[in-house]
Amino acid sequence: MSQFSLLGHRRFAPFFWTQALGAFNDNAFRNAMIMLVAFQMGLDEHTVGLYTNLGPALFILPFFLFSAMAGQLAEKYEKTRIIRLVKLFEIGAMILAAVGFYTHHTSLLLAVLFLMGLHSTVFGPIKYAILPQALRPDELVGGNGLVEMGTQLAILTGMIAGSSLMLIAGVGPIAASVLTIGVAVLGYVVSRAVPTAPATAPDLKFSWNPWTETARVLKLTHSDRAVFNAVLGISWFWFFGAVLVAQLPNYTQHTLGGDGSVNTLILTLFSLGTGLGALLCEKLSGRKVEIGLVPVGAFGLTAFGIDLYFARHGTSPVQGLDWKAFMHGPGNWRVMMDLALLGVFSGFYVVPLFAYVQARTPRAQLSRVIAGNNIINALFIVLASGFGLGLSMLGLQPAQIFLAVVLLNIAVAAYIFTLVPEFIMHFLTWAIVNTLYRTRVDGAEKIPEEGAVLLVCNHISFMDPLILMGSLRRPMRFVMYYKIFNIPVLRFVFRTARAIPIAGFKEDPAVLDAAYEEIDAALAAGEAVCIFPEGGLTRDGAVAAFRPGVEKILARRPVPVVPLALRGLWGSMWSRRNTLRLPRRFRARVELVVDAIRAPEVSSAAELEARVKALRGDLA
């Protein structure tokens, strides 16, 4: 089922359009205000510069002041009620903006800009925390992709609409006012259809002190190292994007020689690319949270960012090109391709990170963690402004500033991936499995999302653990033969995944005892553990007898059991050759079938062997 089918469901569609309309209105108002101040009020260049630099600061200020309290609201109270109050607040703010537009009252417009920042601050934790409540786990990546696509397109169309209407001679302020008030009202009407989203922490004690609560929220965000580093990755994306967008006007005018229409074209290419990348995440990840795409995104941002610099830098000898003339200019196709692909790889980078934070954070803490993410995002955006301004004062041109942030991206990505090798591990798993095999999974939803569970699977090839890791949403600990554990390259993946090496009693009884201890500790901690009870790779494609080790595990720690069966791997790459010595198959079609959960009392080695054989059928 396509992710677009979510737009036909009430549990997602009203929220999608509500958030998209809010993003549209934010940008329509801000750009209408910029056009009014810059082109219609007769202000000098210094005053215009003061207002255009003060505006972003006022918009971002509420994220520092009120994000922590917004996170508390989103967890303590039912979310749709807050959404509707926020949309009513937006209507009031847009009425004030209309007065400011009509009277050219810049102080009032700056106050409204602060209010719209407050509007986004309160809505932000709800925007991402509501998705895990409304969507199934296998819909989370697709839902995030749609939200990201909708946000990018809403930002783009809002910027264009706000700017264009304000510049209409004689009626610009009225036209912009009608648009922003109308969209705010429409957003409220649509929000009435958002289904109830119950409070995730109704007993939470609300703190009115923004400073102590901000410190508490940041500490909560930092409590899970992997989640915190994902948040840092998201914030770096905002830093990267803020530097890029801030330099685009000067880059368009001086480096590309274009006018305002070329600036709009460039924003359109980047926004459409980001939307496309966000949508492709579901296809590439197989409808699960696949953080292996994050290194792919980071690599693309670097590669095409560097190419953008070499495609065009310095000052253009021609000025004032419109978008049609620019598109026909020599070499400009390369610039447009680089900008579009920067957008695509931005989608690959940021959508899995958001989905990862949502999937890994407990529901009762998610809104506050998103609030912490928003605070850190705001900080990185401010740092991005200082970064761009500082390099400009040193005399660097926009293309050189682009190159500087792209090169910095290499260092930041390396730092994050070193702190959390799980990103690289998932990338290697995703790349290897999707290169060597074509996989299909049946029944993945039968595996419980939390709590201790023992998974048992037949063993056909050295790649079996990687295929399971790449096919199932839930992280699991694998118990594997110690010689497979020590295969070069794969050893990094298995160690990062905290696999448990095991040996036969005659080979190394100490390794065997340590393995049983680690298995029991993992199950006691509520983790999922996967074992291959045959004790080795099949020699003929058939399921061998299950050894009694599985019974020893369950006798010590009775936990639910889920049988799994791999089919189609026999004769493929990394399996044993069959007796006819046929060539191993590349890109083999592999199926993973998941059985219903079983109680430990009816999970003897013989019973589990029979279930796996039944799932496997006559295929290996």
Side-chain angles (χ1 to χ4, degrees):
M1 184 175 65
S2 167
Q3 64 204 96
F4 287 101
S5 64
L6 290 173
L7 295 174
H9 292 278
R10 183 171 174 244
R11 59 193 170 93
F12 179 79
F15 168 75
F16 172 84
W17 292 113
T18 298
Q19 66 85 27
L21 288 168
F24 176 96
N25 230 18
D26 264 349
N27 288 274
F29 164 70
R30 280 193 281 171
N31 282 271
M33 175 185 163
I34 290 171
M35 293 300 105
L36 177 70
V37 170
F39 298 105
Q40 296 192 7
M41 293 179 60
L43 302 175
D44 61 72
E45 183 179 352
H46 175 75
T47 305
V48 170
L50 174 65
Y51 285 136
T52 55
N53 283 287
L54 182 59
L58 286 173
F59 185 83
I60 211 76
L61 182 60
F63 285 91
F64 289 108
L65 298 178
F66 304 116
S67 283
M69 290 197 288
Q72 293 180 91
L73 284 173
E75 285 181 354
K76 186 173 179 61
Y77 301 105
E78 196 274 320
K79 293 181 179 60
T80 56
R81 181 183 176 190
I82 302 173
I83 290 174
R84 290 162 192 160
L85 291 173
V86 167
K87 302 315 286 185
L88 287 173
F89 180 87
E90 181 184 344
I91 294 172
M94 290 301 96
I95 292 173
L96 288 176
V99 175
F101 285 153
Y102 188 75
T103 62
H104 291 192
H105 198 306
T106 50
S107 297
L108 179 59
L109 291 173
L110 289 172
V112 172
L113 195 57
F114 177 85
L115 294 178
M116 290 304 290
L118 179 59
H119 158 275
S120 297
T121 299
V122 176
F123 190 76
I126 298 173
K127 177 177 178 179
Y128 290 103
I130 201 173
L131 289 179
Q133 288 183 265
L135 303 179
R136 299 193 306 268
D138 64 324
E139 296 172 332
L140 197 55
V141 173
N144 273 282
L146 284 172
V147 168
E148 185 64 28
M149 177 208 68
T151 300
Q152 290 297 325
L153 294 181
I155 290 172
L156 175 65
T157 53
M159 292 170 65
I160 295 172
S163 302
S164 302
L165 290 179
M166 183 55 75
L167 293 177
I168 297 175
V171 296
I174 295 175
S177 298
V178 170
L179 173 71
T180 52
I181 293 174
V183 170
V185 171
L186 180 60
Y188 173 74
V189 172
V190 174
S191 74
R192 300 289 303 176
V194 178
T196 300
T200 51
D203 298 327
L204 180 70
K205 185 178 179 180
F206 195 91
S207 171
W208 289 99
N209 188 321
W211 312 114
T212 58
E213 188 57 29
T214 295
R216 191 176 294 118
V217 161
L218 290 175
K219 182 178 180 181
L220 179 65
T221 307
H222 188 266
S223 61
D224 186 315
R225 192 184 74 164
V227 168
F228 180 69
N229 283 288
V231 167
L232 289 181
I234 294 168
S235 297
W236 171 250
F237 167 78
W238 282 104
F239 182 101
F240 188 97
V243 172
L244 185 72
V245 171
Q247 300 303 318
L248 277 183
N250 282 333
Y251 177 76
T252 300
Q253 183 177 0
H254 300 296
T255 306
L256 302 181
D259 63 8
S261 66
V262 177
N263 189 68
T264 301
L265 172 65
I266 287 174
L267 283 172
T268 300
L269 289 170
F270 183 76
S271 298
L272 291 178
T274 304
L276 176 62
L279 293 178
L280 286 174
C281 283
E282 184 188 54
K283 177 69 175 177
L284 293 173
S285 66
R287 300 175 66 86
K288 64 185 181 64
V289 177
E290 181 51 81
I291 58 173
L293 289 176
V294 177
V296 177
F299 173 80
L301 288 175
T302 298
F304 292 104
I306 291 174
D307 192 67
L308 180 65
Y309 173 79
F310 287 107
R312 186 67 54 84
H313 56 274
T315 302
S316 172
V318 180
Q319 299 293 321
L321 295 174
D322 65 14
W323 68 275
K324 290 182 180 179
F326 173 78
M327 290 183 70
H328 290 93
N332 288 341
W333 63 269
R334 182 177 169 189
V335 173
M336 293 188 291
M337 180 194 72
D338 284 334
L339 287 163
L341 288 174
L342 277 171
V344 170
F345 283 92
S346 293
F348 291 169
Y349 180 86
V350 75
V351 169
L353 287 174
F354 269 122
Y356 181 76
V357 171
Q358 292 165 336
R360 183 142 177 167
T361 306
R363 295 281 179 87
Q365 299 175 357
L366 181 56
S367 294
R368 283 174 289 165
V369 169
I370 295 295
N373 168 75
N374 290 345
I375 295 169
I376 299 171
N377 289 351
L379 175 61
F380 272 62
I381 291 171
V382 172
L383 292 175
S385 298
F387 178 83
L389 182 62
L391 293 185
S392 297
M393 293 176 66
L394 291 174
L396 271 68
Q397 297 178 341
Q400 294 171 318
I401 295 174
F402 286 169
L403 182 62
V405 76
V406 166
L407 295 178
L408 190 57
N409 181 62
I410 299 174
V412 171
Y415 174 72
I416 293 175
F417 299 151
T418 300
L419 287 178
V420 190
E422 188 177 351
F423 289 103
I424 297 296
M425 181 268 289
H426 276 273
F427 166 69
L428 290 174
T429 301
W430 176 81
I432 292 170
V433 171
N434 284 278
T435 299
L436 298 180
Y437 306 102
R438 289 168 290 175
T439 59
R440 186 179 74 85
V441 183
D442 181 17
E445 70 282 354
K446 298 175 184 176
I447 298 176
E449 293 292 330
E450 55 187 22
V453 62
L454 183 68
L455 296 95
V456 297
C457 188
N458 58 317
H459 206 3
I460 303 175
S461 79
F462 294 112
M463 301 297 292
D464 293 352
L466 295 188
I467 292 172
L468 295 179
M469 286 167 56
S471 302
L472 299 174
R473 291 187 299 274
R474 182 167 179 186
M476 61 190 72
R477 305 280 300 276
F478 288 93
V479 181
M480 61 180 61
Y481 186 45
Y482 74 104
K483 290 185 178 179
I484 296 178
F485 181 89
N486 289 317
I487 293 175
V489 180
L490 297 184
R491 176 180 172 84
F492 165 77
V493 175
F494 296 145
R495 285 178 64 89
T496 304
R498 299 188 302 137
I500 302 170
I502 195 168
F505 180 78
K506 293 182 179 180
E507 291 179 289
D508 196 327
V511 170
L512 178 64
D513 291 340
Y516 278 122
E517 291 297 325
E518 198 164 352
I519 292 169
D520 187 68
L523 293 174
E527 296 184 272
V529 176
C530 181
I531 64 171
F532 302 98
E534 294 165 275
L537 298 182
T538 177
R539 294 183 175 276
D540 56 7
V543 177
F546 279 17
R547 297 186 179 183
V550 62
E551 296 176 353
K552 182 177 179 179
I553 293 170
L554 292 173
R556 183 174 178 180
R557 183 76 56 181
V559 297
V561 183
V562 177
L564 313 172
L566 284 166
R567 306 194 295 191
L569 271 168
W570 178 245
S572 68
M573 296 289 291
W574 298 98
S575 68
R576 296 184 186 275
R577 291 181 184 270
N578 59 23
T579 54
L580 297 178
R581 309 292 290 179
L582 294 176
R584 293 189 174 104
R585 291 176 293 120
F586 182 70
R587 294 287 291 165
R589 292 186 181 275
V590 177
E591 292 181 272
L592 172 63
V593 185
V594 182
D595 198 14
I597 195 167
R598 298 171 63 88
E601 298 81 17
V602 291
S603 298
S604 66
E607 289 170 317
L608 292 173
E609 178 188 332
R611 285 306 307 153
V612 171
K613 285 182 176 179
L615 293 173
R616 187 185 64 86
D618 295 327
L619 302 175

